[in-house]
Amino acid sequence: FTTFPGLPKWRKTHLTYRIVNYTLDLPREAVDSAFEKALKAWEEVTPLTFSKIYEGEADIMIFFAVREHGDFIPFDGSGNVLAHAYPPGPGLYGDVHFDDDELWREDKSGTNLFLVAAHEFGHSLGLYHSADPTALMYPVYNPHTDLTRFRLAQDDVNGIQSLYGPPPTSSPDGPAVPTESVPPEPGTPATCDPALSFDAVSSLRGEILFFKDRYFWRRSRWSLEPEFHLISTFWPSLPSGLDAAYEVNNKDTVFVFKGNHFWAIRGTEVQAGYPKDIHTLGFPPALGKIDAAVSDKEKKKTYFFVEDKYWRFDENSQSMEQGFPRKIADDFPGVGPKVDAVFQEFGFFYFFRGPLQFEFDPNAKMVTHVLKSNNWLYC
Amino acid sequence: YPLNGAVREKDPSMDLLQQYLENYYDLAKDVKQFVRRRDSGPVVKKIREMQKFLGLEVTGKLDPDTLAMIRKPRCGVPDVGQ
């Protein structure tokens, strides 16, 4: 494998991509899934995660174009050059252009979009070409590649991991996608680790979800044993290492936050049009992320916690309320200074900070219990 | 006797090769082909570099395998250089 001169690479692990336009050769869903599958191939062997945005500037902007298309490297009609891409960086860098004079196909009856996309995304992540003819990053398109059992070659894996390292918990045969609870592997968070902290916690249709890294525990009223899953098992397009999550009951929707993006999920379905930018909720432009959030189903108010302050959002008017942010310590004494996660159950707010959990009575405005974070997991 | 010798037929595959080496192997655009010279002129050197990178027999010549390779669909990103 080779990397670009100067070794350009992304300085963050969560990247966004945007499909700016579509080829007419394929249904849009086929194009969407080809790109999703191509990114997943790289996601599975690195700490990188990808999420799709629908407007604005993404790290990886994807275009279909013919001949001269604005980057001084015109395409050449059908055949020869199929596509090109730029190494990591701002603006044009990281972007991928596909020659729409090719016949893009899901199979091999034309040029396979998934295969070319997976190669080009390798460039967007910082890989140059490989001299290994079995590698995805070999420059010449191989129409005989077995698409049914596609796997990155070891050379590809060595190359991308030389830039970003292995996934946070790399199992020898690559991450499986289990249908039942994931047995704990070395490096995965231990359910009853007394030091366990959570990234985000939310109710969902009567269950409680505890998110951590790439995983989540699922605690339902009907089983005494919490289930442990990869986030990607249920929501492949969601990133790992979430910041916050909350359920709005009367919408049967859970909102999930990471960085300056948020997603709406209903059951296992990520809603179309997401992720959106958190500033569309009314946060000040300087705000980069939130720490925790909870929606009070009685009062129809949603609380967003950021550092030592919080905002309140009115679910009826769908707007951030005036007079915020306020200090967490002023209205939620005893839970701060800052919080990792929070959810509502039995009328109480349960705040999580590191390995501690604070049961807070919003009416009495006081902490009524201090517990271990993972006591909901029957530890 | 004109120094520049007989005007040779333009060879399309030589142009194809020249274009390929310029696009993907950082061959300077103004370097003309010196097929008659025995030693490894810049173009012959680039042919060797390409054949090595792409896993072909390194002959330094535009042999049929090399010609077939440069006609195959590929990625537009160069194989060497900026």
Coordinates of all heavy atoms in Angstrom, one line a residue, chain A residues 2 128 131 138-139, chain B residues 17 20-22 24-28 40-61 66 74 78-82:
Chain A
T2 N 0.3 2.4 -0.4 CA 1.1 3.6 -0.3 C 0.1 4.7 0.3 O -1.1 4.5 0.1 CB 1.6 4.1 -1.6 OG1 0.5 4.2 -2.6 CG2 2.7 3.2 -2.1
Y128 N -3.2 5.9 -1.0 CA -2.8 6.1 -2.4 C -2.9 4.7 -3.0 O -3.6 3.8 -2.4 CB -1.3 6.6 -2.4 CG -1.0 7.5 -3.5 CD1 -1.9 8.3 -4.2 CD2 0.4 7.8 -3.8 CE1 -1.5 9.1 -5.2 CE2 0.8 8.6 -4.8 CZ -0.2 9.3 -5.5 OH 0.2 10.2 -6.5
A131 N 0.3 -1.7 -5.1 CA 0.9 -2.5 -6.2 C 0.4 -3.9 -6.0 O 0.8 -4.8 -6.8 CB 2.4 -2.4 -6.2
Y138 N -5.6 -1.3 -5.6 CA -4.8 -1.5 -6.9 C -5.5 -0.6 -7.9 O -6.8 -0.5 -7.9 CB -4.9 -2.9 -7.3 CG -4.1 -3.3 -8.5 CD1 -2.8 -3.4 -8.5 CD2 -4.8 -3.6 -9.7 CE1 -2.0 -3.7 -9.7 CE2 -4.1 -4.0 -10.9 CZ -2.7 -4.0 -10.9 OH -2.0 -4.4 -12.0
P139 N -4.8 0.2 -8.7 CA -5.4 1.2 -9.5 C -6.3 0.8 -10.6 O -7.2 1.5 -11.1 CB -4.2 2.0 -10.1 CG -3.1 1.1 -10.0 CD -3.3 0.2 -8.8
Chain B
L17 N 0.3 5.5 -24.6 CA 1.3 5.2 -23.6 C 1.8 6.5 -22.9 O 1.9 6.7 -21.7 CB 2.5 4.4 -24.2 CG 3.7 4.3 -23.3 CD1 3.4 3.3 -22.1 CD2 4.9 3.8 -24.0
Y20 N -0.7 8.0 -20.7 CA -0.8 7.2 -19.4 C 0.4 7.5 -18.5 O 0.1 7.7 -17.3 CB -0.7 5.7 -19.8 CG -1.3 4.7 -18.8 CD1 -2.7 4.4 -18.8 CD2 -0.5 4.2 -17.8 CE1 -3.2 3.5 -17.9 CE2 -1.0 3.3 -16.9 CZ -2.4 3.0 -16.9 OH -2.9 2.1 -16.0
L21 N 1.6 7.6 -19.0 CA 2.7 7.8 -18.2 C 2.6 9.2 -17.6 O 3.0 9.5 -16.5 CB 4.0 7.6 -19.0 CG 4.3 6.2 -19.4 CD1 5.5 6.1 -20.2 CD2 4.3 5.2 -18.2
E22 N 2.2 10.2 -18.4 CA 2.0 11.6 -18.0 C 1.0 11.6 -16.9 O 1.2 12.3 -15.8 CB 1.6 12.5 -19.1 CG 2.7 12.7 -20.1 CD 2.2 13.5 -21.3 OE1 1.0 13.8 -21.4 OE2 3.0 13.7 -22.3
Y24 N -0.3 9.1 -14.9 CA -0.2 8.3 -13.7 C 1.2 8.1 -13.2 O 1.4 7.6 -12.1 CB -0.9 7.0 -14.0 CG -2.3 7.1 -14.5 CD1 -2.6 6.6 -15.8 CD2 -3.3 7.7 -13.7 CE1 -3.9 6.8 -16.2 CE2 -4.6 7.9 -14.2 CZ -4.9 7.4 -15.5 OH -6.2 7.6 -16.0
Y25 N 2.2 8.4 -14.0 CA 3.6 8.1 -13.5 C 4.5 9.3 -13.6 O 5.7 9.2 -13.6 CB 4.1 6.9 -14.3 CG 3.5 5.7 -13.9 CD1 2.3 5.3 -14.4 CD2 4.1 4.9 -12.8 CE1 1.6 4.1 -13.9 CE2 3.4 3.8 -12.3 CZ 2.2 3.4 -12.9 OH 1.6 2.3 -12.4
D26 N 3.8 10.5 -13.5 CA 4.5 11.7 -13.3 C 5.6 12.0 -14.4 O 6.6 12.6 -14.1 CB 5.3 11.6 -12.0 CG 5.2 13.0 -11.2 OD1 4.5 13.9 -11.7 OD2 6.0 13.2 -10.3
L27 N 5.3 11.5 -15.6 CA 6.2 11.8 -16.8 C 6.0 13.2 -17.2 O 4.9 13.7 -17.3 CB 5.9 10.9 -18.0 CG 6.7 11.2 -19.2 CD1 8.2 10.8 -19.0 CD2 6.1 10.4 -20.4
A28 N 7.1 14.0 -17.3 CA 7.0 15.4 -17.6 C 6.3 15.5 -19.0 O 6.6 14.7 -19.9 CB 8.3 16.1 -17.7
S40 N 18.2 3.6 -21.0 CA 16.9 3.8 -20.4 C 16.7 5.3 -20.4 O 16.9 6.0 -19.4 CB 16.9 3.3 -19.0 OG 17.9 4.0 -18.2
G41 N 16.1 5.9 -21.5 CA 15.7 7.3 -21.5 C 14.6 7.5 -20.5 O 14.0 6.5 -20.0
P42 N 14.1 8.7 -20.2 CA 13.1 8.9 -19.2 C 11.8 8.2 -19.5 O 11.2 7.6 -18.6 CB 12.9 10.4 -19.3 CG 13.5 10.9 -20.5 CD 14.6 10.0 -20.8
V43 N 11.5 8.0 -20.8 CA 10.2 7.3 -21.0 C 10.4 5.8 -20.8 O 9.5 5.2 -20.1 CB 9.7 7.6 -22.5 CG1 8.5 6.7 -22.8 CG2 9.5 9.0 -22.7
V44 N 11.5 5.3 -21.2 CA 11.7 3.9 -21.0 C 11.7 3.6 -19.5 O 11.1 2.6 -19.0 CB 13.0 3.4 -21.6 CG1 13.4 2.0 -21.2 CG2 12.9 3.5 -23.1
K45 N 12.3 4.5 -18.7 CA 12.4 4.3 -17.3 C 11.0 4.3 -16.7 O 10.6 3.5 -15.8 CB 13.2 5.5 -16.7 CG 13.7 5.2 -15.2 CD 14.5 6.4 -14.7 CE 15.8 6.6 -15.5 NZ 16.6 7.7 -14.9
K46 N 10.2 5.2 -17.2 CA 8.8 5.3 -16.7 C 8.0 4.0 -17.1 O 7.2 3.6 -16.3 CB 8.1 6.6 -17.2 CG 8.5 7.8 -16.6 CD 8.2 7.9 -15.1 CE 8.6 9.2 -14.5 NZ 8.4 9.2 -13.0
I47 N 8.3 3.5 -18.3 CA 7.6 2.3 -18.7 C 7.9 1.2 -17.7 O 7.1 0.5 -17.2 CB 8.0 1.8 -20.1 CG1 7.5 2.9 -21.1 CG2 7.4 0.5 -20.4 CD1 7.9 2.6 -22.6
R48 N 9.2 1.1 -17.3 CA 9.7 0.1 -16.4 C 9.0 0.3 -15.0 O 8.5 -0.7 -14.4 CB 11.2 0.2 -16.2 CG 12.0 -0.3 -17.3 CD 13.5 -0.1 -17.0 NE 14.4 -0.2 -18.2 CZ 14.7 -1.4 -18.8 NH1 14.2 -2.5 -18.3 NH2 15.4 -1.5 -19.8
E49 N 8.9 1.6 -14.6 CA 8.3 1.9 -13.3 C 6.8 1.4 -13.3 O 6.3 0.8 -12.4 CB 8.4 3.4 -13.0 CG 7.9 3.8 -11.7 CD 8.0 5.3 -11.4 OE1 8.5 6.0 -12.3 OE2 7.6 5.8 -10.3
M50 N 6.1 1.7 -14.4 CA 4.7 1.3 -14.5 C 4.6 -0.2 -14.5 O 3.7 -0.7 -13.8 CB 4.1 1.9 -15.8 CG 2.7 1.4 -16.0 SD 2.0 1.5 -17.6 CE 3.1 1.0 -18.7
Q51 N 5.4 -0.8 -15.3 CA 5.3 -2.3 -15.4 C 5.5 -2.9 -14.1 O 4.8 -3.9 -13.6 CB 6.2 -2.8 -16.5 CG 5.9 -2.5 -17.9 CD 6.9 -2.8 -18.9 OE1 8.1 -2.7 -18.6 NE2 6.5 -3.1 -20.1
K52 N 6.4 -2.4 -13.3 CA 6.8 -3.0 -12.0 C 5.6 -2.7 -11.0 O 5.1 -3.7 -10.4 CB 8.0 -2.3 -11.4 CG 8.5 -2.8 -10.1 CD 9.9 -2.3 -9.7 CE 10.4 -2.9 -8.4 NZ 9.6 -2.4 -7.2
F53 N 5.0 -1.5 -11.1 CA 3.9 -1.2 -10.1 C 2.7 -2.0 -10.4 O 2.1 -2.6 -9.5 CB 3.6 0.3 -10.2 CG 2.7 0.8 -9.1 CD1 3.2 1.4 -8.0 CD2 1.3 0.6 -9.2 CE1 2.3 1.8 -7.0 CE2 0.4 1.0 -8.2 CZ 1.0 1.6 -7.1
L54 N 2.4 -2.2 -11.7 CA 1.2 -2.9 -12.0 C 1.4 -4.4 -12.1 O 0.4 -5.2 -12.5 CB 0.6 -2.4 -13.3 CG 0.2 -0.9 -13.2 CD1 -0.3 -0.4 -14.6 CD2 -0.9 -0.7 -12.2
G55 N 2.6 -4.9 -11.8 CA 2.8 -6.4 -11.7 C 3.0 -7.0 -13.1 O 2.7 -8.2 -13.3
L56 N 3.5 -6.2 -14.1 CA 3.7 -6.8 -15.4 C 5.2 -7.2 -15.5 O 6.0 -6.7 -14.7 CB 3.4 -5.7 -16.5 CG 2.0 -5.2 -16.6 CD1 1.9 -3.9 -17.4 CD2 1.1 -6.2 -17.2
E57 N 5.6 -7.9 -16.6 CA 7.0 -8.2 -16.8 C 7.7 -6.9 -17.2 O 7.2 -6.2 -18.1 CB 7.1 -9.2 -18.0 CG 8.5 -9.7 -18.2 CD 8.7 -10.5 -19.5 OE1 7.6 -10.8 -20.1 OE2 9.8 -10.8 -19.8
V58 N 8.8 -6.6 -16.5 CA 9.5 -5.3 -16.8 C 10.3 -5.4 -18.0 O 11.5 -5.9 -17.9 CB 10.3 -5.0 -15.5 CG1 11.0 -3.6 -15.7 CG2 9.4 -4.9 -14.3
T59 N 9.8 -5.0 -19.1 CA 10.6 -5.1 -20.4 C 11.1 -3.7 -20.9 O 11.9 -3.6 -21.7 CB 9.7 -5.6 -21.5 OG1 8.6 -4.7 -21.7 CG2 9.1 -7.0 -21.1
G60 N 10.4 -2.7 -20.3 CA 10.8 -1.3 -20.8 C 10.3 -1.1 -22.2 O 10.5 0.0 -22.8
K61 N 9.4 -2.0 -22.7 CA 8.9 -1.8 -24.1 C 7.4 -1.8 -24.0 O 6.8 -2.3 -23.0 CB 9.3 -3.0 -25.0 CG 10.8 -3.0 -25.3 CD 11.1 -4.1 -26.3 CE 12.6 -4.1 -26.7 NZ 13.5 -4.2 -25.5
T66 N 1.4 -4.9 -21.8 CA 1.4 -3.5 -21.3 C 0.4 -2.7 -22.0 O -0.4 -1.9 -21.4 CB 2.8 -2.9 -21.5 OG1 3.8 -3.7 -20.8 CG2 2.9 -1.4 -21.0
R74 N -9.7 2.3 -15.0 CA -9.0 2.4 -13.8 C -9.4 3.7 -13.0 O -10.2 4.5 -13.5 CB -7.5 2.5 -14.1 CG -7.0 3.6 -15.0 CD -5.6 3.8 -14.8 NE -5.3 4.5 -13.5 CZ -4.1 4.4 -12.9 NH1 -3.2 3.6 -13.4 NH2 -4.0 5.0 -11.7
P78 N -3.3 9.4 -9.7 CA -2.0 8.9 -10.2 C -1.5 7.7 -9.3 O -2.0 7.5 -8.2 CB -1.1 10.1 -10.0 CG -2.0 11.2 -10.0 CD -3.2 10.8 -9.4
D79 N -0.5 7.0 -9.9 CA 0.1 5.9 -9.1 C 1.3 6.3 -8.3 O 1.7 5.7 -7.4 CB 0.4 4.7 -10.0 CG -0.8 4.1 -10.6 OD1 -1.9 4.3 -10.1 OD2 -0.8 3.4 -11.7
V80 N 1.9 7.4 -8.9 CA 3.1 7.9 -8.1 C 3.0 9.5 -8.2 O 2.3 10.0 -9.1 CB 4.4 7.5 -8.8 CG1 4.6 6.0 -8.6 CG2 4.5 7.9 -10.2
G81 N 3.8 10.1 -7.4 CA 3.9 11.6 -7.5 C 2.7 12.3 -6.9 O 1.9 11.7 -6.3
Q82 N 2.7 13.6 -7.1 CA 1.6 14.4 -6.5 C 0.3 14.1 -7.2 O 0.3 14.0 -8.4 CB 2.0 15.9 -6.7 CG 3.2 16.3 -5.8 CD 2.9 16.2 -4.4 OE1 1.8 16.1 -3.9 NE2 4.0 16.1 -3.6

